C-alpha cells in the first residue's frame, strides 16, 4: 500500500522517474551493436587419427579406445563420442560452455602425447569447429543441354575427354569472372 500511496501523492516524481527510464532505454538501444553473424565458438574438439589399411575393429581397439580413455579425464569434458572407420578414428570431445578451448586443447595434446599408439598410425590431430569458416551461400553450376536437365558427366563419357574438360573450364571461368565478382560487390 505504501508504494501506491507514494505514487498517488508524488505524481511528478513518478512521471520524471518513468521518463528517465525511457530516455535511458532509448539511448542504450541506439548504442547497441547488432551483429548478424556473432562470434561463436563451439566447445568441441575432434581428435582425428589416420591408421592406413586397418579395419574398423582394429582402429577401434588400437586407436579409438586408448584415446577415449586418455582424454576422458581432461577437465571440463562433458561427453566423449567416437567414430571408427576403415583407416581413420574420430574422437569428439564436448566441453562445458565457457571452457577456455586453447587450454583444453593443450591438456588434450599432453594426454595424447602420453599414450602409445601403433607405429603405423599417424600422429593424432586436434580439430576445432569454427562456424565462421562455413560458407553462407553455395552455388552449383551445371550445363543444361537440350532434353537434359542436369549436367551429367556420365552422359559425356570419359571425364578426361576434351569436351568435358572444356565445359568444366567454361563453368570455372564463368563462376570466377561473373558470379564471384557480382557477389563480392553486393552490399
Amino acid at each position: 500500500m505504501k508504494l501506491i500511496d507514494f505514487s498517488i501523492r508524488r505524481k511528478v516524481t513518478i512521471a520524471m522517474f518513468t521518463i528517465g527510464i525511457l530516455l535511458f532505454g532509448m539511448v542504450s538501444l541506439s548504442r547497441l551493436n547488432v551483429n548478424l553473424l556473432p562470434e561463436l565458438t563451439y566447445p568441441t574438439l575432434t581428435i582425428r587419427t589416420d591408421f592406413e589399411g586397418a579395419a574398423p575393429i582394429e582402429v577401434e581397439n588400437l586407436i579409438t579406445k586408448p584415446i577415449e580413455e586418455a582424454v576422458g579425464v581432461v577437465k571440463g569434458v562433458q561427453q566423449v563420442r567416437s567414430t571408427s572407420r576403415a583407416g581413420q578414428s574420430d574422437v569428439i570431445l564436448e566441453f562445458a560452455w565457457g571452457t577456455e578451448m586453447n587450454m583444453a586443447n593443450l591438456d588434450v595434446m599432453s594426454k595424447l602425447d602420453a599414450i602409445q599408439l601403433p607405429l603405423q598410425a599417424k600422429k593424432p590431430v586436434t580439430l576445432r569447429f569454427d562456424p565462421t569458416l562455413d560458407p553462407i551461400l553455395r552455388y552449383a553450376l551445371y550445363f543444361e543441354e537440350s532434353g537434359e536437365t542436369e549436367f551429367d558427366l556420365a552422359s559425356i563419357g570419359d571425364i578426361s575427354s576434351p569436351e568435358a574438360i572444356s565445359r568444366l573450364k567454361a563453368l570455372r571461368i564463368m563462376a570466377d569472372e561473373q558470379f564471384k565478382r557480382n557477389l563480392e560487390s553486393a552490399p
Side-chain angles (χ1 to χ4, degrees):
M1 281 312 259
K2 290 183 181 185
L3 180 63
I4 297 172
D5 290 338
F6 179 78
S7 301
I8 292 172
R9 281 186 276 127
R10 307 278 187 180
K11 295 176 188 171
V12 175
T13 305
I14 296 299
M16 292 308 224
F17 183 71
T18 305
I19 291 171
I21 289 177
L22 290 173
L23 186 63
F24 179 71
M26 285 190 278
V27 168
S28 298
L29 185 63
S30 68
R31 293 184 182 176
L32 185 64
N33 291 332
V34 177
N35 193 353
L36 296 178
L37 298 171
E39 293 266 336
L40 179 67
T41 56
Y42 291 105
T44 60
L45 277 178
T46 301
I47 303 166
R48 179 164 290 160
T49 310
D50 291 326
F51 189 21
E52 298 284 325
I57 192 75
E58 292 173 326
V59 171
E60 182 177 357
N61 291 333
L62 298 174
I63 304 289
T64 305
K65 285 187 179 179
I67 290 176
E68 283 179 347
E69 291 171 3
V71 299
V73 296
V74 172
K75 182 181 175 188
V77 172
Q78 289 187 330
Q79 185 177 11
V80 178
R81 292 178 293 151
S82 63
T83 305
S84 298
R85 290 182 223 100
Q88 189 178 63
S89 166
D90 285 338
V91 178
I92 301 164
L93 304 173
E94 292 182 16
F95 291 87
W97 284 98
T99 302
E100 179 60 41
M101 291 307 294
N102 292 330
M103 294 303 294
N105 193 12
L106 289 174
D107 289 344
V108 168
M109 292 303 290
S110 68
K111 297 289 184 188
L112 289 175
D113 289 339
I115 62 173
Q116 292 291 325
L117 295 176
L119 295 175
Q120 301 87 358
K122 294 182 180 171
K123 186 177 181 195
V125 178
T126 58
L127 307 169
R128 289 180 55 189
F129 175 65
D130 187 4
T132 60
L133 297 178
D134 280 349
I136 297 172
L137 183 67
R138 291 180 196 246
Y139 274 104
L141 304 176
Y142 64 94
F143 279 104
E144 187 172 341
E145 303 246 350
S146 59
E148 291 185 30
T149 59
E150 291 185 13
F151 178 59
D152 186 13
L153 292 177
S155 68
I156 294 174
D158 185 20
I159 185 80
S160 61
S161 70
E163 183 180 344
I165 292 174
S166 67
R167 287 181 176 184
L168 291 176
K169 283 182 181 178
L171 275 177
R172 179 62 181 219
I173 291 169
M174 183 172 51
D176 284 339
E177 292 181 0
Q178 291 178 353
F179 293 124
K180 185 178 177 184
R181 287 185 186 158
N182 290 341
L183 287 174
E184 286 176 343
S185 64

